[in-house]
Amino acid sequence: MKLKTLLIALGTGFGLLLLNCQGTPSRNAPIHLNPNMDTQKRYDPQAASGFFIDGRTMRPPVPGTVARDGLRLDDAFYRGEDGKGQEIKYIPVDLDENLLARGEERYNIYCSPCHSELGDGKGIVMQYNFPIPPPSFHTEKVRDFTDGYLFKVITNGVRNMPAYRHQIKVRDRWAIVAYIRALQLSQNASAEDVPLTELNGLK
Ligand code: HEC
């Protein structure tokens, strides 16, 4: 008898609970025991503001604000362009052994799996039936690309090649461009490119 009463009481309570949640729409926000600033007043992006005279919620920087990083005004360095949308011919950073060494390291990490350490397009992916053969860098076409264009290929990708802007920092992209030039020279040099002292040793 006692058990039966308990069951009925439980059943009724549960039923009421369910009923309570259904069919009673409310304009009020749901009860939120610990609001934690979740539902404070706010403006959405691009919303109009009644507070500022120009009606804009999103405020422009105060006049005279000085940019600290992120402005990227240097077209050549950040975009490989000369300011008129033309790709620059030569890398805009100082070329030295350190840059080349860095380029070699980054190239071997990011590019060689497809283009191979030699740059002939026969990277390790080709042993696994990679569907789109990566091109060799040792063709007239790729040798004639400007440094700015090579930088853009790394930055934005090209056709079936993915972009590497998120993986490779801007300066490292230029280091890779310099290293590609070294690779190209390694496969396409004439006797005049070799210093005389070395040349005699080669003969
Ligand atoms: C996942 C494989 C893969 C990786 C990694 C890769 N590439 Fe490529 N790359 C390709 C393919 C495939 C193409 C040909 C794309 C096409 O023509 O559709 C290509 C094309 C190119 C071209 C020729 C662009 C043109 O306009 O003809 C250059 C230059 C190049 N890649 C440079 C690089 C450099 C530098 C890196 C490293 C930062 C790199 N690639 C990493 C697959 C790759």
Side-chain angles (χ1 to χ4, degrees):
M1 183 65 186
K2 264 186 177 173
L3 186 69
K4 205 174 165 191
T5 325
L6 190 68
L7 281 179
I8 291 175
L10 271 177
T12 323
F14 192 63
L16 278 175
L17 245 172
L18 282 182
L19 275 180
N20 241 354
C21 303
Q22 279 181 356
T24 48
S26 160
R27 285 182 176 278
N28 299 330
I31 296 168
H32 203 146
L33 291 181
N34 181 14
N36 261 347
M37 299 171 82
D38 285 351
T39 50
Q40 59 187 315
K41 280 201 160 192
R42 64 156 205 278
Y43 282 121
D44 287 329
Q46 311 281 356
S49 159
F51 181 76
F52 294 105
I53 292 175
D54 64 7
R56 284 192 280 182
T57 298
M58 298 171 73
R59 309 307 303 158
V62 178
T65 302
V66 177
R68 311 259 317 256
D69 280 347
L71 198 53
R72 303 193 157 205
L73 281 181
D74 189 340
D75 262 331
F77 184 68
Y78 288 107
R79 283 171 280 281
E81 290 179 353
D82 62 3
K84 293 180 209 114
Q86 281 296 308
E87 283 130 16
I88 52 173
K89 270 208 159 106
Y90 302 111
I91 57 167
V93 293
D94 288 339
L95 177 61
D96 56 21
E97 262 180 63
N98 285 340
L99 190 82
L100 275 180
R102 177 76 179 167
E104 176 178 16
E105 189 206 27
R106 297 290 107 180
Y107 175 89
N108 285 336
I109 293 171
Y110 290 108
C111 320
S112 73
C114 292
H115 291 278
S116 97
E117 293 201 354
L118 189 63
D120 60 6
K122 300 194 181 110
I124 195 165
V125 294
M126 292 313 287
Q127 293 172 25
Y128 297 91
N129 301 325
F130 194 63
I132 313 132
S136 163
F137 297 147
H138 309 300
T139 59
E140 207 63 35
K141 180 181 157 201
V142 180
R143 278 196 290 266
D144 284 349
F145 286 153
T146 56
D147 288 356
Y149 180 78
L150 291 176
F151 175 84
K152 282 187 170 180
V153 169
I154 306 175
T155 307
N156 306 320
V158 62
R159 299 180 296 273
N160 289 301
M161 184 188 131
Y164 282 86
R165 71 169 74 220
H166 297 299
Q167 294 93 323
I168 308 175
K169 291 190 177 139
V170 178
R171 202 184 146 76
D172 287 344
R173 284 177 231 158
W174 287 116
I176 291 177
V177 171
Y179 184 66
I180 290 179
R181 295 307 191 202
L183 279 180
Q184 289 176 328
L185 200 58
S186 79
Q187 302 302 304
N188 187 45
S190 66
E192 288 96 75
D193 295 319
V194 185
L196 262 184
T197 44
E198 306 287 327
L199 195 61
N200 291 334
L202 288 177
K203 274 181 182 164

